[in-house]
Amino acid sequence: VAEGISMGVGEYQSSKSYNEIIEAEKKKEKTHIKEIPQLEEKEITNIYMGKGFTEKEAKRIAKKIMANQSVWFQTIMSEEYGIGQRQESIIKNSTIMGVASFLGGFIPIIPYLFFDVVSALRVSIIFSALTLFIVGAGKTYYTKKNWFTSGIVMVMIAMLTALITYYIGQGFSIIFGI
């Protein structure tokens, strides 16, 4: 529960900060468009020259883009900063992160509610690996990668992380006599 709340709050802060940065950049660029359009034209020209257009072609593209202030602004934001116009909801992101962390933390504990410690550990590892595989395979709906490879990679990364944190805990146990 604590992890879920912590992760949700962390995601909220991260998303909020990211959105604030985007808003500051938008404000700055809108000011530049109004006050120093020649600099923005040069930036757009340089962007398109960097994409392989000749200087003449890039200037023509820049002029065409600058003819529509909305397109001009969107082009600067996406080409110069890599920022799209759509921003995710920070409440949605933080809720998803919190619930996912809660479920992710709860899944390995479920077997301990039904089995003895040794059996629960085995079932927990299998149950967790299966869940991680399903999540890894499921994300290929969006990534369009190989579902099997994605599932295996997700399991391997999580298990490696679990081993590392286990041995860090063992180290603290030895050092501090816990």
Side-chain angles (χ1 to χ4, degrees):
V1 172
E3 178 187 6
I5 291 170
S6 175
M7 294 299 289
V9 169
E11 179 63 27
Y12 175 83
Q13 291 288 38
S14 174
S15 295
K16 185 174 183 289
S17 297
Y18 178 74
N19 287 345
E20 288 170 353
I21 291 167
I22 289 173
E23 288 306 315
E25 292 299 333
K26 284 180 176 181
K27 185 177 179 182
K28 182 179 84 171
E29 287 303 326
K30 284 179 180 178
T31 300
H32 286 179
I33 286 171
K34 289 179 184 172
E35 295 178 3
I36 47 174
Q38 64 281 4
L39 178 64
E40 295 301 317
E41 179 180 4
K42 184 175 177 148
E43 286 179 1
I44 292 173
T45 301
N46 288 338
I47 288 167
Y48 284 95
M49 286 174 58
K51 291 181 182 238
F53 292 94
T54 66
E55 185 175 358
K56 184 178 178 182
E57 291 169 330
K59 282 184 178 183
R60 194 170 63 243
I61 292 168
K63 292 282 187 200
K64 181 77 171 166
I65 288 169
M66 293 171 63
N68 182 322
Q69 199 163 27
S70 175
V71 171
W72 184 3
F73 175 72
Q74 289 175 1
T75 300
I76 289 170
M77 295 307 294
S78 66
E79 295 291 341
E80 191 173 340
Y81 296 102
I83 297 172
Q85 296 302 304
R86 184 173 176 265
Q87 297 174 44
E88 295 293 327
S89 162
I90 58 177
I91 298 298
K92 175 185 168 191
N93 287 351
S94 59
T95 301
I96 290 169
M97 181 60 79
V99 169
S101 295
F102 173 77
L103 292 175
F106 188 66
I107 287 170
I109 295 171
I110 294 171
Y112 291 91
L113 301 173
F114 304 102
F115 301 103
D116 63 272
V117 174
V118 175
S119 298
L121 177 61
R122 290 182 183 128
V123 173
S124 178
I125 291 169
I126 293 166
F127 197 39
S128 296
L130 182 60
T131 302
L132 289 163
F133 182 83
I134 291 167
V135 169
K139 76 177 184 173
T140 63
Y141 176 79
Y142 300 102
T143 65
K144 306 301 182 209
K145 304 260 182 184
N146 179 280
W147 66 271
F148 185 77
T149 303
S150 183
I152 292 296
V153 167
M154 178 77 85
V155 170
M156 298 308 292
I157 290 171
M159 292 300 171
L160 179 62
T161 302
L163 283 173
I164 290 169
T165 56
Y166 172 79
Y167 285 113
I168 289 171
Q170 288 295 326
F172 276 109
S173 179
I174 292 167
I175 293 169
F176 298 109
I178 301 171

